[in-house]
Amino acid sequence: MGDGNSTVAAVQRALEALHASVGKLSQEYGDTLGVRRLVSDVARLSDDLAELGPPDPHHRPGPVPEELEEIPDVEYDASMWTDAEHEGFGAPDRRAP
């Protein structure tokens, strides 16, 4: 697990680079609605980062993507459902009251 301070510092550097890039876009495109939105979004991200505070010591990060099991998107074998109850209908040999 990485150090929270170094992670925050890396995000801060990325936001500073993004702020500089949006500044260049502003010079190229002028004061347009899109540029104003980008400037506002970068400022909001910076504010959100500043308000994060220290990480929760009880937080457990989820699995990294390499640990996730991929389930193929194929039809299941029909025999798997033999003698299964149909949701809402009950077992085939019983009747509803």
Side-chain angles (χ1 to χ4, degrees):
M1 185 177 342
D3 180 11
N5 289 336
S6 65
T7 304
V8 170
V11 173
Q12 182 62 42
R13 285 190 302 273
L15 284 173
E16 289 168 359
L18 183 59
H19 180 74
S21 296
V22 169
K24 290 177 184 176
L25 277 177
S26 177
Q27 291 174 351
E28 187 175 329
Y29 284 85
D31 187 29
T32 65
L33 178 59
V35 169
R36 287 194 304 258
R37 285 181 177 166
L38 287 169
V39 169
S40 174
D41 291 344
V42 174
R44 182 184 49 81
L45 288 170
S46 295
D47 291 345
D48 290 346
L49 182 63
E51 291 177 4
L52 263 181
D56 179 5
H58 303 293
H59 172 72
R60 292 184 178 204
V64 294
E66 295 80 29
E67 295 176 2
L68 296 177
E69 181 178 344
E70 185 175 329
I71 300 173
D73 190 21
V74 295
E75 291 291 324
Y76 289 110
D77 180 9
S79 67
M80 180 174 144
W81 305 110
T82 304
D83 296 328
E85 294 184 10
H86 295 284
E87 184 177 330
F89 296 111
D93 60 340
R94 284 189 255 156
R95 302 180 125 212

